[in-house]
Amino acid sequence: MSGEGKARARPKVACEVAANRVIAARAAQLGQGLDLCTCRTIGVGTVHPGLAAGNVGDAAELRQAIANALGPVAGRARDVIAILPDAAVRVSLLEFENFPQHTDEATSLVRFRLRKTLPFDVEHAAISFHVQRPQGTFAAEAGRITAVVAVAPRPVVEEYEAAFRDAGYTPGVVVPSMLAVLGAVDALTPAMIVKTDALTTTVAIVDRNELRLYRTLENEPGTGDDARLADEIYPSVVFFKDTYGSGLDRVLLAGQLESEGLGAALETQIGVRAEPLVSRAQMEQMLTRDHVPVSALAGVLGALA
């Protein structure tokens, strides 16, 4: 994770680590989509995503899963995009009236704003941000500059980076899962993206290709209660409508869990039909026998877009 302005060549291979599996993919040579994909299931306890050190419970198994997943798709490439679980990274939208042009000054300002809001030491955290300068006509954004900030304890990021390096790869870009997913979203009009994994559900609302809302919910283990989850998501829709005076045009589903029930519950709650973010047409070959929901490829697809 690095600060704004440190542009670098983007790797053509991405690998997502989740609590239950590792997914790797290579960008299509022509056009958009994925050329090759692989998946390796990992055991319970191999990864404990969170904001405290100790995310990697079994370094040897995670290293082997990353090596096995990346081997068939990476070829000679060693520089990869590493996608971390949403629970391991805090993402915030911070508003400013003025924002420094110099990266060091901007980073200091962002750290200052985050200082009292995080359960860990922000001064030594890994941090990255993207600045959205107001271009629209919404009263809610008049005169405001919004920074999309991703921050995580440095020891947590280093645990994941070490697993990639031990497997023989360089995590040239590190990004949380939902921000990776948003790379696959073209949202000129209001769209809500709902991404589920084993531990969390993350909600983002994007309009005019700018992030308006970001929220991560902790899943209740074993409940699978789609109606309850839709109830928890609904206040985000109300907030967006009240703030920007606009409803949603689309609802897109992504993530590790296939849930037709969640789509139906959201449609009932919001009145907008929920659609899958990823289609099989965007994937050429899946080189694994393990069942992988197509929706689970949203992270690697967005990271490579």
Side-chain angles (χ1 to χ4, degrees), residues 70-288:
L70 280 170
V73 305
R76 295 181 179 178
R78 287 293 176 266
D79 197 17
V80 304
I81 300 173
I83 304 171
L84 307 192
D86 284 330
V89 183
R90 178 70 61 86
V91 175
S92 303
L93 299 180
L94 301 181
E95 293 185 345
F96 301 88
E97 292 185 359
N98 297 291
F99 199 79
Q101 294 289 335
H102 194 280
T103 300
D104 290 343
E105 292 179 10
T107 302
S108 296
L109 178 60
V110 170
R111 288 188 192 278
F112 177 78
R113 285 285 300 273
L114 290 173
R115 190 170 296 160
K116 294 183 179 180
T117 66
L118 298 174
F120 53 86
D121 179 13
V122 69
E123 296 302 326
H124 300 95
I127 191 167
S128 179
F129 54 87
H130 168 72
V131 177
Q132 300 180 151
R133 299 186 185 277
Q135 298 179 4
T137 57
F138 290 123
E141 65 182 5
R144 297 179 182 177
I145 298 170
T146 303
V148 181
V149 181
V151 58
R154 193 171 296 280
V156 170
V157 176
E158 290 174 347
E159 284 183 72
Y160 291 101
E161 289 179 332
F164 280 90
R165 291 196 174 93
D166 290 347
Y169 296 91
T170 301
V173 176
V174 180
V175 60
S177 181
M178 183 53 140
L179 292 187
V181 168
L182 294 181
V185 178
D186 184 7
L188 294 177
T189 59
M192 181 172 73
I193 301 90
V194 178
K195 187 189 75 64
T196 55
D197 62 33
L199 302 176
T200 60
T201 296
T202 305
V203 180
I205 296 180
V206 183
D207 185 20
R208 305 182 189 192
N209 286 324
E210 292 189 353
L211 185 61
R212 305 293 190 196
L213 179 146
Y214 191 102
R215 184 181 175 208
T216 298
L217 306 170
E218 292 186 5
N219 295 340
E220 290 187 17
T223 60
D225 187 340
D226 295 318
R228 180 195 56 78
L229 184 54
D231 286 343
E232 292 187 7
I233 293 170
Y234 186 62
S236 298
V237 180
V238 174
F239 172 84
F240 175 74
K241 184 175 182 179
D242 289 348
T243 304
Y244 294 98
S246 176
L248 298 174
D249 284 353
R250 291 186 296 162
V251 174
L252 302 171
L253 301 180
Q256 302 276 334
L257 304 177
E258 289 180 314
S259 177
E260 294 181 359
L262 177 58
L266 287 171
E267 184 174 349
T268 299
Q269 188 74 271
I270 301 170
V272 177
R273 182 173 177 272
E275 311 167 55
L277 175 60
V278 184
S279 70
R280 291 196 177 277
Q282 294 168 289
M283 175 184 67
E284 294 190 14
Q285 293 186 63
M286 170 57 81
L287 303 177
T288 178

Side-chain angles (χ1 to χ4, degrees), residues 6-109:
K6 296 182 179 179
R8 56 192 309 166
R10 201 163 185 81
K12 301 297 183 184
V13 176
C15 183
E16 177 165 7
V17 176
N20 56 351
R21 56 168 65 99
V22 173
I23 296 175
R26 186 175 73 197
Q29 296 295 318
L30 299 174
Q32 298 181 340
L34 303 176
D35 188 0
L36 297 172
C37 308
T38 60
C39 173
R40 295 293 183 274
T41 301
I42 56 177
V44 175
T46 301
V47 174
H48 303 280
L51 294 175
N55 274 224
V56 179
D58 189 332
E61 181 174 353
L62 180 59
R63 180 190 66 237
Q64 193 61 53
I66 291 172
N68 290 344
L70 280 170
V73 305
R76 295 181 179 178
R78 287 293 176 266
D79 197 17
V80 304
I81 300 173
I83 304 171
L84 307 192
D86 284 330
V89 183
R90 178 70 61 86
V91 175
S92 303
L93 299 180
L94 301 181
E95 293 185 345
F96 301 88
E97 292 185 359
N98 297 291
F99 199 79
Q101 294 289 335
H102 194 280
T103 300
D104 290 343
E105 292 179 10
T107 302
S108 296
L109 178 60

